[in-house]
Amino acid sequence: MKTEYAVAAGAADVPMVQARQRLVVIGNGMAGMRTVEELLKIAPELYDITVFGAEPYGNYNRILLSPVLAGEKSVDDIILNTREWYRANDITLHAGDAVVGIDRVRRIVRSASGIEARYDRLLIATGSKPFIIPVPGCDLPGVIAFRDIQDVEKMLAASRDHRHAVVIGGGLLGLEAANGLQRQGMSVTVVHSSESLMDRQLDASASTLLKRSLEAKGLRFAMAARTTEIVGDERVTAVRFADGREIEADLVVMTAGVRPNIALAKEAGLHCERAIVVDDTLQTYDPRVYAVGECVQHRSATFGLVAPIWDQARVAGAHLAGAGHRRYVQRATATKLKVTGVDLYSAGDFIGDDSSEDLVLRDPRRGVYKRLVLQAGCVIGAVLYGDVKDGAWYFELIQNRTDVSHLRGRLLFGKTLCEAQA
Ligand SMILES: Cc1cc2nc3c(=O)[nH]c(=O)nc-3n(C[C@H](O)[C@H](O)[C@H](O)COP(=O)(O)OP(=O)(O)OC[C@H]3O[C@@H](n4cnc5c(N)ncnc54)[C@H](O)[C@@H]3O)c2cc1C
């Protein structure tokens, strides 16, 4: 509560207690809490803040679940905001209590445990749900996703009692899951529907190099394979493919993509397409309701990496603070694979089109591959394998749309050489 003094005639010096506005946050994840942090930087006294989180923890760094699975970090290492932080900032946290309904007319949210919280402003940050391929057997014990601490705990438990893991999906998440399970002593096969691993971030050449180096670490791959059934009675025992082949499995990890978690917003009548539609201020079609993170759609884009989410949090935090000068602008993103010993960096538009050209450097003996995509004198995309030290510099060139025409002949050799001869 904030105490102010009434100044109206006849009421001089009478203390008047003015209630703060109420902000309710649904989703105690990376986007929601980052937005609250941004808000607190600007207007720490503006709101009474209540946060509901489906997971029974404070906010943690989801990105670092991969090193936790690989045994390189503990759960304690990845906590971003402890319960003490919530207390210190006067935030009411309902952890392990999901919101099950939003009443936009009465401006109330209701949780699974029956708590009702009234809001003046609502922030929805419900993230994504893993996509479980709907094949027969997908609900068998031993079939899980890779999204939260509980999934990691299940994988670690399985690695103690079982031997054969199959990871369905050869994208970033799948390869990090496979690496982690292998580090925990399991024999791991990655099943991927196309011929190229990480095909949303890598071109075919980089993807081939990546596969080779993961094979050298002991991972196995079933490429261009379509899973048709998860086999088992009481627990998964095998995965079957369209061509009739089967591979043994006592753990199946599905990493075949995510879907924005928008059921709650839809039920509340908020405008959704693929996700909750927001404008450049992260406001939904209801001016009292904001949304950030993987549950939102800005223009036609949805999101799956934290860099754009941090930008969204800065904008939403400012608007919630009443300092509405920022606008969210989509920017190029960059990706790294968190597998120890594999150096890989991908940024921007690495495919290009008829109006772009490629600069390529291949050094098979050193296991180095670099490809830069140029358009109108600017770098618009980069794929680096084996030598990624210039990744951040190329990314800066992409983001700033720097004219690199004068560096064209040296660009692939990196920042140091380009600057030395500038
Ligand atoms: C293993 C792993 C590795 C990753 N690695 C990278 C990486 O290297 N680089 C990168 O940029 N990104 C990475 N990501 C993606 C990144 O973690 C996400 O983009 C980011 O966490 C999205 O933030 P979010 O807040 O939108 O969703 P989340 O962090 O998922 O938070 C949403 C929260 O809302 C909660 N929730 C949902 N519904 C309700 C409800 N009804 N009531 C209350 N709470 C609810 C959920 O339980 C969850 O805690 C990785 C993700 C995973 C899983």
Side-chain angles (χ1 to χ4, degrees), residues 26-32 52-55 62-63 65-66 98-99 125-127 146-147 173 176 261 264 293-294 304-306 309 338:
I26 309 177
N28 188 27
M30 298 191 77
F52 289 89
E55 295 184 71
R62 198 171 299 281
I63 292 178
L65 287 176
S66 302
V99 169
T126 46
F146 184 20
R147 181 75 194 177
L173 208 60
E176 291 185 4
N261 192 359
L264 197 60
E294 289 192 0
L305 295 171
V306 291
I309 291 174
K338 302 188 294 296

PDB file of all heavy atoms in Angstrom, residues 26-32 52-55 62-63 65-66 98-99 125-127 146-147 173 176 261 264 293-294 304-306 309 338, ligand 1:
ATOM      1  N   ILE A  26       0.438 -14.405 -15.401  1.00  0.00           N
ATOM      2  CA  ILE A  26       0.182 -15.853 -15.563  1.00  0.00           C
ATOM      3  C   ILE A  26       1.390 -16.442 -16.274  1.00  0.00           C
ATOM      4  O   ILE A  26       1.625 -16.161 -17.454  1.00  0.00           O
ATOM      5  CB  ILE A  26      -1.091 -16.127 -16.387  1.00  0.00           C
ATOM      6  CG1 ILE A  26      -2.281 -15.343 -15.836  1.00  0.00           C
ATOM      7  CG2 ILE A  26      -1.384 -17.624 -16.405  1.00  0.00           C
ATOM      8  CD1 ILE A  26      -3.558 -15.518 -16.667  1.00  0.00           C
ATOM      9  N   GLY A  27       2.166 -17.254 -15.555  1.00  0.00           N
ATOM     10  CA  GLY A  27       3.358 -17.855 -16.145  1.00  0.00           C
ATOM     11  C   GLY A  27       4.604 -17.310 -15.480  1.00  0.00           C
ATOM     12  O   GLY A  27       4.962 -16.150 -15.657  1.00  0.00           O
ATOM     13  N   ASN A  28       5.232 -18.179 -14.696  1.00  0.00           N
ATOM     14  CA  ASN A  28       6.401 -17.790 -13.908  1.00  0.00           C
ATOM     15  C   ASN A  28       7.678 -18.174 -14.641  1.00  0.00           C
ATOM     16  O   ASN A  28       8.632 -18.647 -14.050  1.00  0.00           O
ATOM     17  CB  ASN A  28       6.299 -18.520 -12.555  1.00  0.00           C
ATOM     18  CG  ASN A  28       7.323 -18.058 -11.575  1.00  0.00           C
ATOM     19  OD1 ASN A  28       7.771 -16.922 -11.658  1.00  0.00           O
ATOM     20  ND2 ASN A  28       7.711 -18.946 -10.668  1.00  0.00           N
ATOM     21  N   GLY A  29       7.679 -18.006 -15.973  1.00  0.00           N
ATOM     22  CA  GLY A  29       8.827 -18.445 -16.770  1.00  0.00           C
ATOM     23  C   GLY A  29       9.732 -17.289 -17.145  1.00  0.00           C
ATOM     24  O   GLY A  29       9.727 -16.227 -16.516  1.00  0.00           O
ATOM     25  N   MET A  30      10.506 -17.495 -18.222  1.00  0.00           N
ATOM     26  CA  MET A  30      11.547 -16.531 -18.568  1.00  0.00           C
ATOM     27  C   MET A  30      10.959 -15.208 -19.045  1.00  0.00           C
ATOM     28  O   MET A  30      11.432 -14.142 -18.670  1.00  0.00           O
ATOM     29  CB  MET A  30      12.467 -17.143 -19.623  1.00  0.00           C
ATOM     30  CG  MET A  30      13.155 -18.390 -19.071  1.00  0.00           C
ATOM     31  SD  MET A  30      14.473 -18.999 -20.114  1.00  0.00           S
ATOM     32  CE  MET A  30      15.770 -17.843 -19.754  1.00  0.00           C
ATOM     33  N   ALA A  31       9.914 -15.258 -19.870  1.00  0.00           N
ATOM     34  CA  ALA A  31       9.353 -14.009 -20.417  1.00  0.00           C
ATOM     35  C   ALA A  31       8.613 -13.219 -19.345  1.00  0.00           C
ATOM     36  O   ALA A  31       8.796 -12.008 -19.214  1.00  0.00           O
ATOM     37  CB  ALA A  31       8.403 -14.345 -21.570  1.00  0.00           C
ATOM     38  N   GLY A  32       7.787 -13.911 -18.581  1.00  0.00           N
ATOM     39  CA  GLY A  32       6.973 -13.233 -17.578  1.00  0.00           C
ATOM     40  C   GLY A  32       7.836 -12.532 -16.540  1.00  0.00           C
ATOM     41  O   GLY A  32       7.656 -11.342 -16.241  1.00  0.00           O
ATOM     42  N   PHE A  52       1.265 -16.260 -10.882  1.00  0.00           N
ATOM     43  CA  PHE A  52       0.873 -17.666 -10.831  1.00  0.00           C
ATOM     44  C   PHE A  52       1.802 -18.457 -11.745  1.00  0.00           C
ATOM     45  O   PHE A  52       2.015 -18.060 -12.903  1.00  0.00           O
ATOM     46  CB  PHE A  52      -0.567 -17.856 -11.332  1.00  0.00           C
ATOM     47  CG  PHE A  52      -1.605 -17.325 -10.391  1.00  0.00           C
ATOM     48  CD1 PHE A  52      -2.024 -16.005 -10.476  1.00  0.00           C
ATOM     49  CD2 PHE A  52      -2.150 -18.150  -9.416  1.00  0.00           C
ATOM     50  CE1 PHE A  52      -2.980 -15.517  -9.598  1.00  0.00           C
ATOM     51  CE2 PHE A  52      -3.107 -17.665  -8.533  1.00  0.00           C
ATOM     52  CZ  PHE A  52      -3.523 -16.339  -8.628  1.00  0.00           C
ATOM     53  N   GLY A  53       2.335 -19.552 -11.224  1.00  0.00           N
ATOM     54  CA  GLY A  53       3.196 -20.400 -12.046  1.00  0.00           C
ATOM     55  C   GLY A  53       2.750 -21.849 -11.932  1.00  0.00           C
ATOM     56  O   GLY A  53       2.539 -22.350 -10.823  1.00  0.00           O
ATOM     57  N   ALA A  54       2.592 -22.511 -13.077  1.00  0.00           N
ATOM     58  CA  ALA A  54       2.169 -23.917 -13.038  1.00  0.00           C
ATOM     59  C   ALA A  54       3.264 -24.795 -12.422  1.00  0.00           C
ATOM     60  O   ALA A  54       2.973 -25.822 -11.810  1.00  0.00           O
ATOM     61  CB  ALA A  54       1.839 -24.384 -14.448  1.00  0.00           C
ATOM     62  N   GLU A  55       4.519 -24.374 -12.577  1.00  0.00           N
ATOM     63  CA  GLU A  55       5.616 -25.192 -12.047  1.00  0.00           C
ATOM     64  C   GLU A  55       5.878 -24.827 -10.576  1.00  0.00           C
ATOM     65  O   GLU A  55       5.759 -23.656 -10.206  1.00  0.00           O
ATOM     66  CB  GLU A  55       6.893 -24.946 -12.858  1.00  0.00           C
ATOM     67  CG  GLU A  55       6.770 -25.395 -14.301  1.00  0.00           C
ATOM     68  CD  GLU A  55       8.081 -25.223 -15.044  1.00  0.00           C
ATOM     69  OE1 GLU A  55       9.010 -25.991 -14.765  1.00  0.00           O
ATOM     70  OE2 GLU A  55       8.179 -24.322 -15.893  1.00  0.00           O
ATOM     71  N   ARG A  62      15.523 -21.731 -18.313  1.00  0.00           N
ATOM     72  CA  ARG A  62      15.132 -22.956 -19.035  1.00  0.00           C
ATOM     73  C   ARG A  62      16.225 -23.401 -20.009  1.00  0.00           C
ATOM     74  O   ARG A  62      16.424 -24.588 -20.245  1.00  0.00           O
ATOM     75  CB  ARG A  62      13.829 -22.659 -19.787  1.00  0.00           C
ATOM     76  CG  ARG A  62      13.055 -23.861 -20.223  1.00  0.00           C
ATOM     77  CD  ARG A  62      11.680 -23.476 -20.758  1.00  0.00           C
ATOM     78  NE  ARG A  62      10.864 -22.807 -19.763  1.00  0.00           N
ATOM     79  CZ  ARG A  62      10.209 -23.418 -18.779  1.00  0.00           C
ATOM     80  NH1 ARG A  62      10.272 -24.717 -18.660  1.00  0.00           N
ATOM     81  NH2 ARG A  62       9.497 -22.737 -17.918  1.00  0.00           N
ATOM     82  N   ILE A  63      16.926 -22.437 -20.578  1.00  0.00           N
ATOM     83  CA  ILE A  63      17.991 -22.755 -21.544  1.00  0.00           C
ATOM     84  C   ILE A  63      19.015 -23.710 -20.938  1.00  0.00           C
ATOM     85  O   ILE A  63      19.583 -24.557 -21.612  1.00  0.00           O
ATOM     86  CB  ILE A  63      18.712 -21.447 -21.944  1.00  0.00           C
ATOM     87  CG1 ILE A  63      17.777 -20.572 -22.749  1.00  0.00           C
ATOM     88  CG2 ILE A  63      19.982 -21.720 -22.692  1.00  0.00           C
ATOM     89  CD1 ILE A  63      18.424 -19.246 -23.122  1.00  0.00           C
ATOM     90  N   LEU A  65      18.611 -26.095 -18.925  1.00  0.00           N
ATOM     91  CA  LEU A  65      18.195 -27.471 -18.623  1.00  0.00           C
ATOM     92  C   LEU A  65      19.108 -28.466 -19.339  1.00  0.00           C
ATOM     93  O   LEU A  65      19.338 -29.573 -18.854  1.00  0.00           O
ATOM     94  CB  LEU A  65      16.743 -27.702 -19.066  1.00  0.00           C
ATOM     95  CG  LEU A  65      15.674 -27.030 -18.212  1.00  0.00           C
ATOM     96  CD1 LEU A  65      14.290 -27.252 -18.818  1.00  0.00           C
ATOM     97  CD2 LEU A  65      15.708 -27.555 -16.767  1.00  0.00           C
ATOM     98  N   SER A  66      19.628 -28.055 -20.503  1.00  0.00           N
ATOM     99  CA  SER A  66      20.502 -28.982 -21.249  1.00  0.00           C
ATOM    100  C   SER A  66      21.770 -29.294 -20.455  1.00  0.00           C
ATOM    101  O   SER A  66      22.104 -30.473 -20.268  1.00  0.00           O
ATOM    102  CB  SER A  66      20.844 -28.411 -22.633  1.00  0.00           C
ATOM    103  OG  SER A  66      19.656 -28.184 -23.344  1.00  0.00           O
ATOM    104  N   ALA A  98      -1.661 -23.475 -11.304  1.00  0.00           N
ATOM    105  CA  ALA A  98      -1.922 -22.927 -12.640  1.00  0.00           C
ATOM    106  C   ALA A  98      -3.217 -22.121 -12.643  1.00  0.00           C
ATOM    107  O   ALA A  98      -4.162 -22.449 -11.935  1.00  0.00           O
ATOM    108  CB  ALA A  98      -2.027 -24.064 -13.651  1.00  0.00           C
ATOM    109  N   VAL A  99      -3.231 -21.092 -13.469  1.00  0.00           N
ATOM    110  CA  VAL A  99      -4.485 -20.350 -13.672  1.00  0.00           C
ATOM    111  C   VAL A  99      -5.371 -21.184 -14.606  1.00  0.00           C
ATOM    112  O   VAL A  99      -4.905 -21.685 -15.634  1.00  0.00           O
ATOM    113  CB  VAL A  99      -4.188 -18.954 -14.277  1.00  0.00           C
ATOM    114  CG1 VAL A  99      -5.473 -18.287 -14.747  1.00  0.00           C
ATOM    115  CG2 VAL A  99      -3.483 -18.091 -13.236  1.00  0.00           C
ATOM    116  N   ALA A 125       1.989 -14.963 -19.916  1.00  0.00           N
ATOM    117  CA  ALA A 125       3.324 -15.417 -20.354  1.00  0.00           C
ATOM    118  C   ALA A 125       3.387 -16.930 -20.160  1.00  0.00           C
ATOM    119  O   ALA A 125       4.198 -17.448 -19.404  1.00  0.00           O
ATOM    120  CB  ALA A 125       4.411 -14.715 -19.549  1.00  0.00           C
ATOM    121  N   THR A 126       2.483 -17.608 -20.855  1.00  0.00           N
ATOM    122  CA  THR A 126       2.311 -19.051 -20.622  1.00  0.00           C
ATOM    123  C   THR A 126       3.214 -19.929 -21.489  1.00  0.00           C
ATOM    124  O   THR A 126       3.124 -21.162 -21.434  1.00  0.00           O
ATOM    125  CB  THR A 126       0.829 -19.439 -20.845  1.00  0.00           C
ATOM    126  OG1 THR A 126       0.376 -18.819 -22.054  1.00  0.00           O
ATOM    127  CG2 THR A 126      -0.043 -18.959 -19.704  1.00  0.00           C
ATOM    128  N   GLY A 127       4.074 -19.309 -22.311  1.00  0.00           N
ATOM    129  CA  GLY A 127       5.076 -20.090 -23.049  1.00  0.00           C
ATOM    130  C   GLY A 127       4.474 -21.029 -24.076  1.00  0.00           C
ATOM    131  O   GLY A 127       3.459 -20.733 -24.710  1.00  0.00           O
ATOM    132  N   PHE A 146      10.849 -32.526 -23.478  1.00  0.00           N
ATOM    133  CA  PHE A 146      12.017 -31.887 -22.869  1.00  0.00           C
ATOM    134  C   PHE A 146      11.703 -30.402 -22.755  1.00  0.00           C
ATOM    135  O   PHE A 146      11.984 -29.626 -23.664  1.00  0.00           O
ATOM    136  CB  PHE A 146      13.238 -32.127 -23.767  1.00  0.00           C
ATOM    137  CG  PHE A 146      14.543 -31.604 -23.213  1.00  0.00           C
ATOM    138  CD1 PHE A 146      14.710 -31.337 -21.858  1.00  0.00           C
ATOM    139  CD2 PHE A 146      15.630 -31.409 -24.063  1.00  0.00           C
ATOM    140  CE1 PHE A 146      15.915 -30.872 -21.359  1.00  0.00           C
ATOM    141  CE2 PHE A 146      16.844 -30.946 -23.579  1.00  0.00           C
ATOM    142  CZ  PHE A 146      16.981 -30.676 -22.222  1.00  0.00           C
ATOM    143  N   ARG A 147      11.044 -30.038 -21.660  1.00  0.00           N
ATOM    144  CA  ARG A 147      10.642 -28.638 -21.531  1.00  0.00           C
ATOM    145  C   ARG A 147      10.935 -28.061 -20.152  1.00  0.00           C
ATOM    146  O   ARG A 147      11.204 -26.899 -20.010  1.00  0.00           O
ATOM    147  CB  ARG A 147       9.136 -28.518 -21.827  1.00  0.00           C
ATOM    148  CG  ARG A 147       8.577 -27.105 -21.763  1.00  0.00           C
ATOM    149  CD  ARG A 147       8.974 -26.304 -22.978  1.00  0.00           C
ATOM    150  NE  ARG A 147       8.728 -24.879 -22.794  1.00  0.00           N
ATOM    151  CZ  ARG A 147       9.031 -23.933 -23.657  1.00  0.00           C
ATOM    152  NH1 ARG A 147       9.609 -24.255 -24.804  1.00  0.00           N
ATOM    153  NH2 ARG A 147       8.788 -22.676 -23.420  1.00  0.00           N
ATOM    154  N   LEU A 173      16.935 -28.776 -29.735  1.00  0.00           N
ATOM    155  CA  LEU A 173      16.524 -29.377 -28.467  1.00  0.00           C
ATOM    156  C   LEU A 173      16.807 -30.883 -28.452  1.00  0.00           C
ATOM    157  O   LEU A 173      17.297 -31.424 -27.465  1.00  0.00           O
ATOM    158  CB  LEU A 173      15.016 -29.134 -28.319  1.00  0.00           C
ATOM    159  CG  LEU A 173      14.458 -29.054 -26.943  1.00  0.00           C
ATOM    160  CD1 LEU A 173      15.108 -27.930 -26.183  1.00  0.00           C
ATOM    161  CD2 LEU A 173      12.943 -28.847 -27.013  1.00  0.00           C
ATOM    162  N   GLU A 176      20.506 -31.613 -28.038  1.00  0.00           N
ATOM    163  CA  GLU A 176      20.965 -31.356 -26.662  1.00  0.00           C
ATOM    164  C   GLU A 176      20.445 -32.446 -25.722  1.00  0.00           C
ATOM    165  O   GLU A 176      21.161 -32.885 -24.810  1.00  0.00           O
ATOM    166  CB  GLU A 176      20.531 -29.953 -26.216  1.00  0.00           C
ATOM    167  CG  GLU A 176      21.294 -28.875 -26.991  1.00  0.00           C
ATOM    168  CD  GLU A 176      21.028 -27.452 -26.530  1.00  0.00           C
ATOM    169  OE1 GLU A 176      20.297 -27.260 -25.546  1.00  0.00           O
ATOM    170  OE2 GLU A 176      21.565 -26.521 -27.159  1.00  0.00           O
ATOM    171  N   ASN A 261       1.185 -21.864 -26.024  1.00  0.00           N
ATOM    172  CA  ASN A 261       0.230 -22.325 -25.005  1.00  0.00           C
ATOM    173  C   ASN A 261      -0.860 -21.256 -24.840  1.00  0.00           C
ATOM    174  O   ASN A 261      -0.727 -20.336 -24.045  1.00  0.00           O
ATOM    175  CB  ASN A 261       1.026 -22.501 -23.706  1.00  0.00           C
ATOM    176  CG  ASN A 261       0.248 -23.235 -22.662  1.00  0.00           C
ATOM    177  OD1 ASN A 261      -0.899 -23.608 -22.882  1.00  0.00           O
ATOM    178  ND2 ASN A 261       0.863 -23.418 -21.518  1.00  0.00           N
ATOM    179  N   LEU A 264      -5.894 -20.960 -22.547  1.00  0.00           N
ATOM    180  CA  LEU A 264      -6.495 -20.063 -21.552  1.00  0.00           C
ATOM    181  C   LEU A 264      -6.926 -18.733 -22.203  1.00  0.00           C
ATOM    182  O   LEU A 264      -8.037 -18.242 -21.973  1.00  0.00           O
ATOM    183  CB  LEU A 264      -5.422 -19.795 -20.489  1.00  0.00           C
ATOM    184  CG  LEU A 264      -5.815 -19.233 -19.152  1.00  0.00           C
ATOM    185  CD1 LEU A 264      -6.779 -20.163 -18.437  1.00  0.00           C
ATOM    186  CD2 LEU A 264      -4.539 -19.048 -18.317  1.00  0.00           C
ATOM    187  N   GLY A 293       6.459 -13.480 -24.867  1.00  0.00           N
ATOM    188  CA  GLY A 293       7.140 -14.776 -24.915  1.00  0.00           C
ATOM    189  C   GLY A 293       6.614 -15.696 -26.009  1.00  0.00           C
ATOM    190  O   GLY A 293       6.072 -15.251 -27.018  1.00  0.00           O
ATOM    191  N   GLU A 294       6.791 -16.983 -25.775  1.00  0.00           N
ATOM    192  CA  GLU A 294       6.459 -17.972 -26.803  1.00  0.00           C
ATOM    193  C   GLU A 294       4.959 -18.107 -27.028  1.00  0.00           C
ATOM    194  O   GLU A 294       4.543 -18.754 -27.979  1.00  0.00           O
ATOM    195  CB  GLU A 294       7.064 -19.331 -26.442  1.00  0.00           C
ATOM    196  CG  GLU A 294       8.572 -19.353 -26.586  1.00  0.00           C
ATOM    197  CD  GLU A 294       9.159 -20.753 -26.517  1.00  0.00           C
ATOM    198  OE1 GLU A 294       8.415 -21.732 -26.353  1.00  0.00           O
ATOM    199  OE2 GLU A 294      10.398 -20.853 -26.612  1.00  0.00           O
ATOM    200  N   GLY A 304      10.792 -18.634 -30.413  1.00  0.00           N
ATOM    201  CA  GLY A 304      11.268 -19.847 -29.759  1.00  0.00           C
ATOM    202  C   GLY A 304      12.654 -19.685 -29.159  1.00  0.00           C
ATOM    203  O   GLY A 304      13.271 -20.658 -28.748  1.00  0.00           O
ATOM    204  N   LEU A 305      13.147 -18.431 -29.144  1.00  0.00           N
ATOM    205  CA  LEU A 305      14.471 -18.162 -28.567  1.00  0.00           C
ATOM    206  C   LEU A 305      14.344 -16.982 -27.603  1.00  0.00           C
ATOM    207  O   LEU A 305      13.430 -16.163 -27.739  1.00  0.00           O
ATOM    208  CB  LEU A 305      15.472 -17.793 -29.667  1.00  0.00           C
ATOM    209  CG  LEU A 305      15.810 -18.893 -30.679  1.00  0.00           C
ATOM    210  CD1 LEU A 305      16.624 -18.315 -31.827  1.00  0.00           C
ATOM    211  CD2 LEU A 305      16.579 -20.034 -30.012  1.00  0.00           C
ATOM    212  N   VAL A 306      15.287 -16.871 -26.669  1.00  0.00           N
ATOM    213  CA  VAL A 306      15.111 -15.827 -25.660  1.00  0.00           C
ATOM    214  C   VAL A 306      15.457 -14.411 -26.128  1.00  0.00           C
ATOM    215  O   VAL A 306      14.890 -13.455 -25.608  1.00  0.00           O
ATOM    216  CB  VAL A 306      15.872 -16.117 -24.346  1.00  0.00           C
ATOM    217  CG1 VAL A 306      15.272 -17.280 -23.616  1.00  0.00           C
ATOM    218  CG2 VAL A 306      17.335 -16.269 -24.575  1.00  0.00           C
ATOM    219  N   ILE A 309      12.589 -12.439 -26.956  1.00  0.00           N
ATOM    220  CA  ILE A 309      11.727 -12.356 -25.768  1.00  0.00           C
ATOM    221  C   ILE A 309      12.245 -11.286 -24.808  1.00  0.00           C
ATOM    222  O   ILE A 309      11.473 -10.567 -24.177  1.00  0.00           O
ATOM    223  CB  ILE A 309      11.608 -13.764 -25.125  1.00  0.00           C
ATOM    224  CG1 ILE A 309      10.790 -14.648 -26.067  1.00  0.00           C
ATOM    225  CG2 ILE A 309      10.995 -13.698 -23.734  1.00  0.00           C
ATOM    226  CD1 ILE A 309      10.688 -16.096 -25.660  1.00  0.00           C
ATOM    227  N   LYS A 338      24.330 -26.212 -27.572  1.00  0.00           N
ATOM    228  CA  LYS A 338      25.053 -26.367 -26.302  1.00  0.00           C
ATOM    229  C   LYS A 338      25.489 -27.819 -26.110  1.00  0.00           C
ATOM    230  O   LYS A 338      24.996 -28.529 -25.248  1.00  0.00           O
ATOM    231  CB  LYS A 338      24.155 -25.888 -25.151  1.00  0.00           C
ATOM    232  CG  LYS A 338      23.725 -24.423 -25.330  1.00  0.00           C
ATOM    233  CD  LYS A 338      23.011 -23.867 -24.135  1.00  0.00           C
ATOM    234  CE  LYS A 338      21.676 -24.500 -23.866  1.00  0.00           C
ATOM    235  NZ  LYS A 338      20.659 -24.306 -24.903  1.00  0.00           N
TER     236      LYS A 338
HETATM  237  C1  LIG B   1      15.990 -27.505 -22.983  1.00  0.00           C
HETATM  238  C2  LIG B   1      15.818 -26.156 -23.623  1.00  0.00           C
HETATM  239  C3  LIG B   1      16.916 -25.503 -24.123  1.00  0.00           C
HETATM  240  C4  LIG B   1      16.772 -24.248 -24.712  1.00  0.00           C
HETATM  241  N1  LIG B   1      17.878 -23.638 -25.197  1.00  0.00           N
HETATM  242  C5  LIG B   1      17.760 -22.390 -25.720  1.00  0.00           C
HETATM  243  C6  LIG B   1      18.924 -21.697 -26.179  1.00  0.00           C
HETATM  244  O1  LIG B   1      20.048 -22.204 -26.158  1.00  0.00           O
HETATM  245  N2  LIG B   1      18.758 -20.426 -26.642  1.00  0.00           N
HETATM  246  C7  LIG B   1      17.527 -19.806 -26.668  1.00  0.00           C
HETATM  247  O2  LIG B   1      17.448 -18.646 -27.056  1.00  0.00           O
HETATM  248  N3  LIG B   1      16.412 -20.468 -26.243  1.00  0.00           N
HETATM  249  C8  LIG B   1      16.491 -21.728 -25.788  1.00  0.00           C
HETATM  250  N4  LIG B   1      15.378 -22.387 -25.351  1.00  0.00           N
HETATM  251  C9  LIG B   1      14.060 -21.715 -25.501  1.00  0.00           C
HETATM  252  C10 LIG B   1      13.781 -20.789 -24.321  1.00  0.00           C
HETATM  253  O3  LIG B   1      13.956 -21.472 -23.115  1.00  0.00           O
HETATM  254  C11 LIG B   1      12.350 -20.269 -24.439  1.00  0.00           C
HETATM  255  O4  LIG B   1      12.276 -19.501 -25.624  1.00  0.00           O
HETATM  256  C12 LIG B   1      11.900 -19.420 -23.261  1.00  0.00           C
HETATM  257  O5  LIG B   1      11.973 -20.153 -22.053  1.00  0.00           O
HETATM  258  C13 LIG B   1      10.466 -18.962 -23.475  1.00  0.00           C
HETATM  259  O6  LIG B   1      10.043 -18.208 -22.377  1.00  0.00           O
HETATM  260  P1  LIG B   1       8.482 -18.157 -21.992  1.00  0.00           P
HETATM  261  O7  LIG B   1       8.403 -17.425 -20.702  1.00  0.00           O
HETATM  262  O8  LIG B   1       7.702 -17.687 -23.150  1.00  0.00           O
HETATM  263  O9  LIG B   1       8.074 -19.659 -21.748  1.00  0.00           O
HETATM  264  P2  LIG B   1       8.521 -20.575 -20.524  1.00  0.00           P
HETATM  265  O10 LIG B   1       9.907 -20.275 -20.104  1.00  0.00           O
HETATM  266  O11 LIG B   1       8.163 -21.959 -20.914  1.00  0.00           O
HETATM  267  O12 LIG B   1       7.563 -20.101 -19.332  1.00  0.00           O
HETATM  268  C14 LIG B   1       6.175 -20.285 -19.364  1.00  0.00           C
HETATM  269  C15 LIG B   1       5.749 -20.652 -17.968  1.00  0.00           C
HETATM  270  O13 LIG B   1       4.325 -20.509 -17.875  1.00  0.00           O
HETATM  271  C16 LIG B   1       3.824 -21.574 -17.113  1.00  0.00           C
HETATM  272  N5  LIG B   1       2.387 -21.717 -17.392  1.00  0.00           N
HETATM  273  C17 LIG B   1       1.815 -22.189 -18.515  1.00  0.00           C
HETATM  274  N6  LIG B   1       0.459 -22.150 -18.388  1.00  0.00           N
HETATM  275  C18 LIG B   1       0.203 -21.639 -17.157  1.00  0.00           C
HETATM  276  C19 LIG B   1      -0.996 -21.356 -16.440  1.00  0.00           C
HETATM  277  N7  LIG B   1      -2.203 -21.588 -16.968  1.00  0.00           N
HETATM  278  N8  LIG B   1      -0.905 -20.850 -15.198  1.00  0.00           N
HETATM  279  C20 LIG B   1       0.317 -20.596 -14.650  1.00  0.00           C
HETATM  280  N9  LIG B   1       1.491 -20.861 -15.281  1.00  0.00           N
HETATM  281  C21 LIG B   1       1.423 -21.358 -16.523  1.00  0.00           C
HETATM  282  C22 LIG B   1       4.656 -22.758 -17.550  1.00  0.00           C
HETATM  283  O14 LIG B   1       4.585 -23.805 -16.623  1.00  0.00           O
HETATM  284  C23 LIG B   1       6.048 -22.110 -17.617  1.00  0.00           C
HETATM  285  O15 LIG B   1       6.691 -22.176 -16.383  1.00  0.00           O
HETATM  286  C24 LIG B   1      15.492 -23.650 -24.795  1.00  0.00           C
HETATM  287  C25 LIG B   1      14.365 -24.328 -24.304  1.00  0.00           C
HETATM  288  C26 LIG B   1      14.520 -25.575 -23.731  1.00  0.00           C
HETATM  289  C27 LIG B   1      13.294 -26.300 -23.210  1.00  0.00           C
END
